Every structure is written in structure tokens, then in C-alpha cells.
């Protein structure tokens, strides 16, 4: 059990037990052949990277029936519009005819903003169904492949060096992180910028949002561990920006120029991490204890409602819900079904726990007493959209930052 980043010794944090593929929504006929792996986590005692110990193969997770489409959330669409405005005003509008590469471009929801501004771009996306959506619906120049050093060589040959490379909610998915960084370094212009943004470890530890841990999230970055990682490639994180998305994320700006001026935001967050003792193994032990306490409290809370003869349905069949449902052993004895907007998930069953996924438009056909909000990161958007549920007497349950009825 060695660190995937620095080969250092690791400290085991928590073993969540047997887990299915988080986005592996399945048909009834496939129940008996469902794939499980052991989901266990550790933190490196040397570089403090928080990581999974094992991960299913990349083809098990990213293939022609990948179930996550970025465009299912209006607030994420808005977030990526803002992302474009930010990078455009910081860098792109100062460059003549820039070339932009996105790693893990999903359905093209982010690159459309670059395309609208007639910018030369390429999306690299391994899952064929979302890559096809990106090409055919969003007209994005898309390469259906996993990004790594070899692929970056092909891109450079066919196109040119990139001014901006970015990856949102993607970089943390990939255990062979060194090949990705070598690819980025190879493809990026000397004065170019690499940006990645991912769920932030500080939020996960502080809010016990362990549901951010699943097969696809191989790493949970802190600024401390990310700096250690990029230092080993002679690259500099020169700016960070905290984001509200996914229950708390961090955006990191990276340069090939080792003399690049480091902005105050980096020192500020390093100080915050020092104060929370991100380099002290005790906080990871506390996190483990908090996960176990959550499990008991969450189960008791839901079972109490059931004992009163009330019905509970889930809202949004997120990847995160796979972790929470499987770890807390909650199945369709407790939750009747989960409503969702994603066509590929509807009429299938939740991974591991086999709760039916229904079309969100059917919610009002048979109203549950309670709706358990699995997409707490989209709380505003969803509560706003489903005001009718409350007016008809329904109640929402959320569990971040604490288990409660809204
Ligand atoms: P997200 O939190 O981004 O998922 P993940 O945990 O997989 O990163 O939520 C996306 C899911 O939520 C997706 O299955 C669609 C669903 N959803 C709804 O059903 N209704 C909504 O209004 C929103 C915003 C999302
Ligand atoms: Zn390490």
C-alpha cells in the first residue's frame, strides 16, 4: 500500500466495504452479475495525498454508457459560463488566436462557451456516449479517448501547443496522474496555464461529506498535497480560488514557469490548511470516527420516519448517493425510489442497493411524505424547481451540513 503520487508510506483512513461502480445504474437482469470492489481510503504520510487504495479499471467507469451529463444542472451550466468569463479576462483575451484543450470534456457544456467566442478548442473525453453528445448536440471538436502523455503527443502533431489546458471534476479521477501531468507539460506552451478544479478535501473533512469518495474520485486534493504533486514535476501552483460547487471545490492554476509569482491566495489557503492540521494524521482518524457516527445517526433518522409509517423517496440519483446508500446499508425497504432527470438513469436501478430510478416528472403522481435530497450541492436549484412539493405538504430531508428536515 504505497502512495500513487510519491510512493510514500500510507496511513489507512477508512474502509467503506464492498462498493459498486458509482455511476453503474443497472437493469434488473444484471443484478446477479453486478461488479463490486473494496472501497478503502488512505492518506500519504509524506505528501498528504488522500486517496483510494484500489480503483476499478478505467474502462469499468468510463465507457459507452457513462451516466453523468454535465448539462443536467442549470447551476453547473452557469458555473462554467462564469469559468469562461474568468479565464477569458485573466488570460485568453490577451492572446492572439489561443488554442484550448479540455481533459474530460463530458457533453461539451463547458467548451460551448469557448466555441461561442470562436476560440480554437479540443475536448478529450473517454466516454463515448457523452463524447457523441458533445460532438453532435454541442458541435464541439471532440476526441474520444483517455488523455495521457501519448495522446498529448498526437494532439500536438495534429494541432499545436495549447495556451490553456483545463480539467474540471476530472483530474482527481485519474490514478496515473504523472502521465497526465507529463502530457499537460508536453502540450502546454511555456507561458500557458493549466487549470483544474475538484472537490476539496478541506470541505470533505470539515463537513464529513464522505459521499465525495467513490470509484471515480481516486484522489481528494488539498492545496498542500497538490503543491507536493506539482513540485515533483517542476510546475507551480500560482493561484487558487475556492468554489461552492460539489459541496466545496478548489480551482488550482498551474504554470510551467517555476519563477512565476505566487499569488496571495496560495499562501492564504496554505495557512488555512496548516491551521486545520491537514498534515496531522489525527484529523483523518477523526474523519473516520465522524463517518461512523454519521452512518448510525443517518440510519436511525430514516428508520424512525419509516416506523411512523411515512414514505421516503430520494431526489437525484447522484454518484455520491451510491456511497452513502451502500455504506449506510439503505435499500428499497427504506427508500421507495429515486427521482432523476437523466434519461440513461431512468427506469434503471441504483448501484448496489437496487432502488428504482424514476423520471422526476412522475414525482407528483404518487407523492412521498419525504424527499431525501442526494444532490445537496444543487439544493437551491432543486428546491426552487420543486416548490409544489412543499406546498402539497411534502418535506425535504438533507444531511449536509447536518441531518435535518428542511
Ligand atoms: P451531481 O451532484 O452533479 O451528481 P454527482 O454526485 O454524480 O456528481 O448531480 C447530478 C445528478 O442530479 C444527475 O443525476 C441529475 C440529478 N439532478 C436532478 O435529477 N434534478 C435536478 O434538478 C438537478 C440539478 C440534478
Ligand atoms: Zn505521497
Amino acid at each position: 500500500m504505497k502512495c500513487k503520487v510519491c510512493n510514500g508510506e500510507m496511513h489507512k483512513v477508512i474502509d467503506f466495504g464492498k462498493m459498486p461502480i458509482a455511476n453503474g445504474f443497472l437493469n434488473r437482469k444484471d443484478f446477479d452479475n453486478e461488479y463490486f470492489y473494496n472501497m478503502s481510503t488512505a492518506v500519504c504520510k509524506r505528501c498528504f495525498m488522500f486517496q483510494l487504495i484500489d480503483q476499478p479499471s478505467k474502462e469499468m467507469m468510463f465507457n459507452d454508457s457513462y451516466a453523468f451529463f454535465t448539462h443536467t444542472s442549470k447551476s453547473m451550466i452557469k458555473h462554467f459560463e462564469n469559468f469562461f468569463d474568468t479565464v477569458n479576462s485573466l488570460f485568453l483575451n490577451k492572446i492572439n488566436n489561443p488554442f484550448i484543450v479540455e481533459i474530460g470534456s463530458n457533453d461539451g457544456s463547458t467548451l460551448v462557451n469557448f466555441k461561442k467566442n470562436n476560440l480554437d478548442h479540443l475536448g478529450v473525453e473517454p466516454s463515448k456516449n457523452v463524447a457523441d453528445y458533445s460532438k453532435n448536440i454541442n458541435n464541439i471538436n471532440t476526441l474520444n479517448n483517455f488523455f495521457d502523455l501519448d495522446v498529448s503527443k498526437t494532439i500536438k502533431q495534429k494541432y499545436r501547443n495549447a495556451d490553456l489546458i483545463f480539467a474540471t471534476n476530472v483530474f482527481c479521477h485519474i490514478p496515473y496522474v504523472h502521465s497526465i501531468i507529463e502530457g499537460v507539460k508536453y502540450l502546454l506552451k511555456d507561458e500557458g496555464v493549466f487549470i483544474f478544479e475538484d472537490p476539496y478535501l478541506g470541505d470533505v473533512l470539515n463537513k464529513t461529506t464522505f459521499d465525495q469518495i467513490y470509484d471515480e474520485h481516486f484522489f481528494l486534493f488539498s492545496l498542500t498535497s497538490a503543491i507536493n504533486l506539482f513540485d515533483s514535476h517542476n510546475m507551480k501552483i500560482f493561484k487558487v480560488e475556492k468554489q461552492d460547487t460539489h459541496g466545496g471545490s478548489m480551482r488550482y492554476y498551474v504554470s510551467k514557469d517555476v519563477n512565476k509569482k505566487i499569488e496571495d491566495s496560495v499562501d492564504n489557503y496554505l495557512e488555512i490548511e496548516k491551521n486545520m492540521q491537514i498534515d496531522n494524521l489525527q484529523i483523518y482518524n477523526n474523519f473516520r470516527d465522524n463517518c461512523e457516527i454519521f452512518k448510525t445517526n443517518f440510519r436511525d433518522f430514516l428508520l424512525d420516519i419509516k416506523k411512523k409509517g411515512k414514505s421516503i423517496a430520494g431526489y437525484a440519483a447522484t454518484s455520491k448517493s451510491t456511497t452513502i446508500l451502500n455504506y449506510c446499508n439503505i435499500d428499497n425497504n427504506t427508500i421507495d425510489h429515486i427521482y432523476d432527470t437523466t434519461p440513461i438513469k431512468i427506469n434503471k436501478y441504483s448501484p448496489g442497493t437496487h432502488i428504482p430510478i424514476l423520471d422526476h416528472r412522475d414525482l407528483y403522481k404518487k407523492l412521498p411524505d419525504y424527499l431525501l435530497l442526494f444532490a445537496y450541492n444543487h439544493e437551491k436549484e432543486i428546491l426552487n424547481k420543486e416548490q409544489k412539493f412543499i406546498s402539497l405538504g411534502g418535506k425535504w430531508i438533507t444531511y449536509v451540513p447536518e441531518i435535518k428536515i428542511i
Side-chain angles (χ1 to χ4, degrees):
M1 192 180 74
K2 289 284 171 65
C3 171
K4 273 278 186 308
V5 169
C6 77
N7 211 30
E9 290 292 326
M10 298 223 283
H11 173 74
K12 207 162 168 174
V13 180
I14 175 168
D15 187 340
F16 290 96
K18 209 175 80 163
M19 277 288 161
I21 301 286
N23 268 309
F25 296 87
L26 69 174
N27 292 309
R28 185 182 283 280
K29 69 173 174 44
D30 298 321
F31 284 1
D32 291 339
N33 302 320
E34 193 170 12
Y35 173 88
F36 289 91
Y37 69 104
N38 189 65
M39 191 170 91
S40 194
T41 57
V43 63
C44 176
K45 293 185 202 171
R46 184 157 68 196
C47 76
F48 299 101
M49 187 65 81
F50 186 95
Q51 55 202 276
L52 293 183
I53 296 171
D54 292 308
Q55 188 189 40
S57 76
K58 60 188 195 301
E59 292 79 10
M60 291 285 299
M61 299 181 284
F62 309 109
N63 45 47
D64 58 4
S65 52
Y66 187 56
F68 182 85
F69 286 73
T70 307
H71 74 267
T72 53
S73 159
K74 283 206 184 77
S75 52
M76 290 310 286
I77 295 280
K78 182 83 199 128
H79 173 75
F80 292 122
E81 281 170 15
N82 293 340
F83 173 77
F84 170 77
D85 291 341
T86 304
V87 295
N88 192 42
S89 62
L90 282 174
F91 320 107
L92 294 178
N93 66 9
K94 301 175 180 72
I95 303 167
N96 181 30
N97 188 23
F99 177 45
I100 295 109
V101 175
E102 179 177 8
I103 303 172
S105 49
N106 196 268
D107 56 16
S109 291
T110 308
L111 279 177
V112 282
N113 299 296
F114 296 76
K115 187 183 161 62
K116 263 186 223 152
N117 286 275
N118 296 318
L119 297 179
D120 195 9
H121 64 271
L122 174 71
V124 186
E125 171 51 54
S127 302
K128 185 165 184 308
N129 61 327
V130 284
D132 285 348
Y133 189 102
S134 158
K135 278 187 229 176
N136 303 332
I137 309 290
N138 280 330
N139 291 315
I140 296 299
N141 186 28
T142 309
L143 173 68
N144 177 208
N145 209 339
F146 288 95
F147 184 90
D148 61 12
L149 179 58
D150 285 342
V151 171
S152 79
K153 288 181 180 167
T154 321
I155 296 172
K156 185 160 154 181
Q157 231 169 27
K158 185 161 176 205
Y159 301 89
R160 54 195 169 108
N161 280 113
D163 297 272
L164 169 67
I165 302 178
F166 69 88
T168 61
N169 303 306
V170 166
F171 192 52
C172 76
H173 289 47
I174 311 166
Y176 49 97
V177 61
H178 295 299
S179 172
I180 304 291
I181 297 180
E182 282 165 27
V184 165
K185 223 175 153 178
Y186 180 86
L187 189 58
L188 197 64
K189 280 187 187 164
D190 284 344
E191 62 284 11
V193 179
F194 173 54
I195 300 176
F196 65 101
E197 87 180 33
D198 284 293
Y200 178 55
L201 179 66
D203 286 300
V204 172
L205 297 177
N206 286 335
K207 301 180 205 163
T208 318
T209 42
F210 63 86
D211 57 349
Q212 279 299 352
I213 303 170
Y214 50 90
D215 52 352
E216 291 177 28
H217 288 179
F218 190 82
F219 296 115
L220 278 178
F221 301 121
S222 60
L223 176 58
T224 305
S225 63
I227 287 178
N228 287 332
L229 169 60
F230 282 94
D231 271 354
S232 72
H233 289 270
N234 266 327
M235 290 176 85
K236 278 276 161 270
I237 295 179
F238 64 92
K239 176 184 174 75
V240 288
E241 270 169 357
K242 193 73 187 10
Q243 307 293 325
D244 291 337
T245 49
H246 290 292
S249 299
M250 187 69 88
R251 181 180 295 163
Y252 306 81
Y253 294 76
V254 195
S255 169
K256 282 163 80 168
D257 176 3
V258 287
N259 297 317
K260 179 103 182 159
K261 185 178 176 306
I262 309 287
E263 300 188 14
D264 290 346
S265 56
V266 173
D267 291 332
N268 294 345
Y269 267 94
L270 277 178
E271 186 67 22
I272 289 171
E273 292 187 358
K274 207 174 120 200
N275 289 338
M276 75 174 278
Q277 302 197 328
I278 209 116
D279 57 353
N280 182 343
L281 298 178
Q282 187 56 42
I283 66 160
Y284 300 92
N285 295 341
N286 296 347
F287 173 66
R288 178 184 52 221
D289 295 345
N290 291 339
C291 291
E292 282 161 7
I293 293 168
F294 177 92
K295 177 179 177 165
T296 310
N297 291 346
F298 191 57
R299 278 184 60 80
D300 288 352
F301 184 87
L302 296 180
L303 294 178
D304 214 45
I305 290 177
K306 291 301 284 184
K307 268 190 220 139
K308 291 178 185 143
K310 302 285 184 193
S311 62
I312 310 173
Y315 198 98
T318 58
S319 329
K320 297 184 286 291
S321 67
T322 297
T323 295
I324 209 150
L325 291 169
N326 283 277
Y327 173 61
C328 300
N329 293 320
I330 295 164
D331 59 16
N332 66 346
N333 289 316
T334 309
I335 296 186
D336 298 330
H337 30 251
I338 304 174
Y339 293 103
D340 198 275
T341 52
T342 318
I344 197 174
K345 296 181 185 177
I346 293 168
N347 294 329
K348 289 195 179 145
Y349 293 84
S350 66
T353 49
H354 302 168
I355 301 169
I357 314 297
L358 301 185
D359 191 325
H360 73 293
R361 285 169 296 198
D362 293 343
L363 169 63
Y364 297 96
K365 282 189 187 160
K366 189 173 174 276
L367 216 62
D369 296 308
Y370 291 87
L371 271 177
L372 176 54
L373 181 60
F374 288 119
Y376 52 83
N377 45 319
H378 301 306
E379 179 177 322
K380 245 199 206 139
E381 178 176 348
I382 291 174
L383 265 59
N384 197 27
K385 192 163 91 179
E386 304 291 5
Q387 289 180 19
K388 195 174 150 196
F389 175 65
I390 301 260
S391 66
L392 291 171
K395 294 190 177 75
W396 286 96
I397 301 169
T398 187
Y399 46 88
V400 177
E402 69 211 333
I403 304 168
K404 66 168 186 219
I405 293 167
I406 307 178

